[in-house]
Amino acid sequence: MADRFEEDELLQMAIHMSLHTSPPDPKLSKPRQGCSVIEESPEAREQRVLRAAAEERRMLSSGRTASFIASPNAAGKSVIASSGGVEVAVEEGVSVSTSSEERREAGCVPVLEEALPLEVAEKLFYMVFGSDVSRDILGQWSNQGIRFSSDPETSMGLVQHEGGPCGVLATIQAYVLKYLLFFLNELSKSTPSILIQNIWSWRFVRRSPITLGDFASVSVDEKIRALVLSMVEILFLCGKKKRAVVAILNVPSHLLKDEPDFGHKDEMISKALEGLTIESASDLQRILKIKEYTSQLSAFLELMELVPVFQSRMGAMLFLISALLSRGLDLIQADRDDPTLPLVTAPFGHASQEIVNLLLCGQAAPNVFDGRMDLGGGMFLNGIPDKVEIGFLSLLESLNFCNVGQNLKHPRWPIWVVGSDSHYTVLFSPDITVQDENEYEERESKIRRAFNAQDQSGGGGFVSVEGIHQVLHETNINFPPEKLESLCSVGFIVWSEFLQGLLELDKDLGGLKDSSGMMGWKRFDIYHFNGIAKSVLSGNQKPRLCKLRVSVPPKWSPEDFMVTSGPSDEPGGRGEGKGEVSQPEPPQYAPLVDCIRTRWPRAICNWVGDPPTIV
């Protein structure tokens, strides 16, 4: 009798959910191509819904749940898979416990949800924190949400309140900037399905330079979309673009969904977290549950609803755990050189290089060089396997403690996570051309190789008259006859004199003279963001966004040429107009400059106000 009552209650609940859905948009109410709408009798509908309710009850009794998200199969029906592999099929067009019209129209695939098994929690806790972690470190990681700054100048930035999770926040920040800088129009105008379709294939988009105030005009919705796209991209990168696992709080579902007001959700989730601490693997197992996605669109739509969870004080830890589980704990350990060390480093609780690399390239490699280093005897050190979307620069390279490879120095987008010995920040430019190679330096290198091939002096730096004619032929250089006669007057040609002649010879004739007056200089603006709310020397407790003017002189005369032939600073300058040039501004110094010079050697940097800080 009790079972019959429970079944009737489930039936009524299921019918209620299937009937109380938003009416379809008339423009979208036609059957999908290749699908037919099947008329269904009330009796058949009742039986079908009863079967779905009974299946849900069986899953609940087994301790596993599934988010029922419809996905059309080849037969024109929507398949809902339970974690046990049982499928319940319903006709196309019938909604089953979906949370938004957007999700129903998208036709998302099933999402599996389960509690975090204790054995996984134990392995995870030891891998991240080790066996002797302090309460201070645990407190740092369980009290850092993924939240945007309320300061208008840094409103595009994620705020960090304590040390520790900066490696996670800075890397997410870098991906967020990718979308805000280069795809802002798409964020506001494209549907979720279009955004997801292009997440791995967007080509470079050139935009005009921004100013510090431009970020204040970005809407909250655009920032949230950029954040969620970043999370989806990172997690699926960790899951080899096939899957993503999301760790969320094991709190009543009504706190996480079906509430459009994010602010109200924040309050409810904060109350649910009152007094909650994480001090052991059992604590981790008790408060977490995990969802696995094989559809990026499903993950995007779900995470849009779960934003308040990641904004909560557990947000940074939840995202780190999600990335680790998306990669797989066994693969994480295989990626590392020493899997016995915790991923969160003692004694200050900073994110290790493995964590940052995992979020940048999808593998928890401990090194920053390209590829793998063969030590012999079947032993290897793992570096960065391929070119990445977001790069990395290190202060430690300027101190000769490491060598950052080209994969990280030359990312697809001009955005870099910057690592010091104790903190991670972000360096970025809205101008794609900062990644372009200096065409004059490339041209000079080609000519120098041809010159060296004719150098018979054993490296003395000069060639014969016959040799210089061969160089001119191979490199398509057309010196005026009187200039060529002057170069060859003593019977041999020294490289320094030959280079000076090239600098005076127009580019159209094969020389290195730049009609713009830049004469091989590269000049651009770059921005540095430090999210920690203690970064301003003047005492203001807020994140810091600093604009730097970077000038990179050509390599062939790094001292004399810098003093006499710098780019013009006049309005409309860069040596244009009258062709006048002036000395560059006196260079300023901060440790960040050393990081910049690992990417652009000889760079001269200037800024206004307090120096940028990477600690």
Side-chain angles (χ1 to χ4, degrees):
M1 189 70 177
D3 290 341
R4 178 62 182 171
F5 175 81
E6 183 180 0
E7 190 167 85
D8 289 344
E9 188 179 35
L10 282 171
L11 173 61
Q12 292 184 25
M13 180 178 68
I15 292 175
H16 175 80
M17 288 190 297
S18 65
L19 292 177
H20 290 72
T21 57
S22 302
D25 188 319
K27 299 187 295 297
L28 302 174
S29 60
K30 295 181 180 180
R32 297 186 184 183
Q33 186 175 359
C35 300
S36 60
V37 177
I38 302 174
E39 295 294 334
E40 182 179 36
S41 68
E43 295 79 8
R45 181 184 180 88
E46 179 177 313
Q47 290 296 319
R48 174 177 51 74
V49 177
L50 177 60
R51 290 195 300 272
E55 173 60 25
E56 183 176 5
R57 185 180 63 175
R58 283 194 296 272
M59 289 190 299
L60 289 171
S61 65
S62 68
R64 294 170 66 92
T65 61
S67 297
F68 292 107
I69 302 176
S71 175
N73 65 5
K77 296 186 176 184
S78 293
V79 177
I80 301 171
S82 76
S83 58
V86 180
E87 292 184 348
V88 181
V90 296
E91 280 72 18
E92 183 67 28
V94 178
S95 172
V96 183
S97 188
T98 54
S99 58
S100 68
E101 182 69 24
E102 200 170 50
R103 180 181 285 112
R104 288 194 298 275
E105 294 299 337
C108 298
V109 300
V111 177
L112 298 183
E113 178 181 313
E114 65 177 349
L116 182 67
L118 181 58
E119 61 272 17
V120 175
E122 291 174 342
K123 187 174 183 179
L124 182 63
F125 188 88
Y126 178 81
M127 180 185 299
V128 175
F129 296 112
S131 59
D132 190 27
V133 61
S134 68
R135 287 187 176 182
D136 287 342
I137 290 178
L138 291 172
Q140 290 174 7
W141 281 88
S142 57
N143 286 283
Q144 178 62 63
I146 304 175
R147 286 179 172 271
F148 285 101
S149 168
S150 59
D151 177 58
E153 186 178 285
T154 57
S155 59
M156 84 308 164
L158 302 176
V159 181
Q160 182 185 349
H161 299 291
E162 297 186 49
C166 54
V168 172
L169 292 178
T171 310
I172 298 173
Q173 177 71 74
Y175 281 89
V176 168
L177 285 167
K178 173 181 122 174
Y179 292 105
L180 294 183
L181 291 173
F182 302 108
F183 304 108
L184 188 58
N185 290 336
E186 287 78 3
L187 288 177
S188 59
K189 297 178 181 178
S190 299
T191 64
S193 58
I194 296 298
L195 290 173
I196 292 300
Q197 287 173 15
N198 292 314
I199 197 170
W200 304 104
S201 58
W202 266 322
R203 297 182 181 275
F204 290 153
V205 177
R206 295 180 184 270
R207 292 192 61 196
S208 58
I210 63 171
T211 64
L212 295 181
D214 288 339
F215 287 123
S217 64
V218 179
S219 70
V220 173
D221 181 65
E222 289 165 339
K223 289 188 291 186
I224 292 298
R225 278 194 163 199
L227 173 61
V228 174
L229 281 171
S230 300
M231 295 169 69
V232 170
E233 182 175 357
I234 293 171
L235 295 181
F236 272 90
L237 180 64
C238 296
K240 298 181 178 179
K241 301 184 181 180
K242 297 178 180 179
R243 69 164 196 151
V245 177
V246 177
I248 60 174
L249 298 172
N250 190 13
V251 298
S253 59
H254 72 276
L255 298 181
L256 308 181
K257 293 187 178 181
D258 302 325
E259 174 57 62
D261 183 358
F262 278 3
H264 186 52
K265 278 187 180 181
D266 281 349
E267 295 177 7
M268 298 175 72
I269 293 172
S270 295
K271 288 182 179 179
L273 293 176
E274 286 181 358
L276 187 148
T277 60
I278 295 178
E279 297 183 356
S280 65
S282 59
D283 290 338
L284 208 61
Q285 191 269 340
R286 176 171 51 85
I287 71 165
L288 295 185
K289 57 183 177 181
I290 56 177
K291 291 188 173 187
E292 181 174 348
Y293 304 85
T294 55
S295 161
Q296 295 178 35
L297 183 56
S298 296
F300 175 84
L301 295 174
E302 286 277 292
L303 284 170
M304 282 294 290
E305 294 185 351
L306 293 172
V307 165
V309 177
F310 288 93
Q311 289 177 330
S312 77
R313 64 180 177 86
M314 292 288 182
M317 181 185 290
L318 289 175
F319 189 78
L320 172 59
I321 291 173
S322 299
L324 295 171
L325 294 176
S326 296
R327 173 65 172 160
L329 301 188
D330 290 338
L331 287 176
I332 292 288
Q333 294 296 71
D335 291 338
R336 308 175 65 198
D337 292 342
D338 187 352
T340 65
L341 297 175
L343 290 169
V344 170
T345 62
F348 302 112
H350 299 135
S352 64
Q353 191 66 48
E354 288 103 320
I355 290 176
V356 174
N357 285 350
L358 173 67
L359 305 185
L360 291 177
C361 74
Q363 299 181 22
N367 305 295
V368 291
F369 51 71
D370 293 340
R372 294 207 303 174
M373 183 181 297
D374 189 349
L375 301 180
M379 296 181 63
F380 297 90
L381 297 179
N382 292 320
I384 308 301
D386 300 297
K387 191 170 184 176
V388 293
E389 295 285 305
I390 304 298
F392 179 79
L393 301 175
S394 176
L395 179 65
L396 298 180
E397 181 175 16
S398 68
L399 302 174
N400 295 319
F401 286 114
C402 68
N403 182 21
V404 179
Q406 297 304 301
N407 288 337
L408 288 175
K409 282 184 180 176
H410 299 264
R412 290 189 175 91
W413 305 97
I415 308 170
W416 296 263
V417 175
V418 175
S420 68
D421 57 345
S422 61
H423 190 44
Y424 293 98
T425 54
V426 182
L427 188 73
F428 64 95
S429 173
D431 183 4
I432 290 294
T433 63
V434 303
Q435 293 264 73
D436 293 348
E437 295 299 323
N438 187 316
E439 63 174 310
Y440 290 93
E441 290 191 2
E442 288 186 342
R443 173 71 174 159
E444 184 264 346
S445 295
K446 179 180 179 180
I447 296 171
R448 184 63 192 259
R449 287 193 297 270
F451 186 92
N452 289 343
Q454 300 298 323
D455 186 353
Q456 303 297 318
S457 65
F462 57 89
V463 299
S464 64
V465 173
E466 293 78 8
I468 204 64
H469 280 283
Q470 183 64 29
V471 172
L472 299 179
H473 174 73
E474 292 178 1
T475 56
N476 297 315
I477 297 172
N478 297 307
F479 273 115
E482 62 276 10
K483 180 63 177 178
L484 182 59
E485 182 178 351
S486 175
L487 282 173
C488 300
S489 60
V490 296
F492 61 88
I493 297 89
V494 180
W495 167 253
S496 60
E497 294 179 356
F498 184 50
L499 176 59
Q500 186 61 43
L502 293 172
L503 293 174
E504 297 170 357
L505 183 66
D506 192 77
K507 176 182 176 183
D508 294 338
L509 297 175
L512 298 174
K513 185 178 180 179
D514 182 3
S515 59
S516 71
M518 290 293 289
M519 291 299 292
W521 278 74
K522 186 177 182 67
R523 186 172 185 177
F524 52 89
D525 292 335
I526 202 162
Y527 295 80
H528 178 256
F529 178 73
N530 189 344
I532 198 163
K534 298 179 181 179
S535 61
V536 180
L537 298 183
S538 59
N540 295 325
Q541 301 298 302
K542 64 180 184 179
R544 173 92 188 283
L545 180 63
C546 181
K547 176 182 176 181
L548 297 92
R549 301 176 65 190
V550 180
S551 298
V552 184
K555 65 183 180 181
W556 48 73
S557 183
E559 294 179 0
D560 295 340
F561 193 81
M562 283 166 50
V563 173
T564 60
S565 306
S568 173
D569 291 327
E570 296 178 1
R574 296 199 172 194
E576 299 168 0
K578 299 179 181 179
E580 296 178 358
V581 294
S582 62
Q583 294 187 13
E585 299 175 63
Q588 294 172 278
Y589 177 76
L592 176 62
V593 176
D594 290 333
C595 297
I596 293 174
R597 286 174 178 165
T598 65
R599 173 60 181 83
W600 293 280
R602 307 173 307 281
I604 301 167
C605 298
N606 299 91
W607 54 85
V608 176
D610 293 334
T613 174
I614 57 177
V615 296

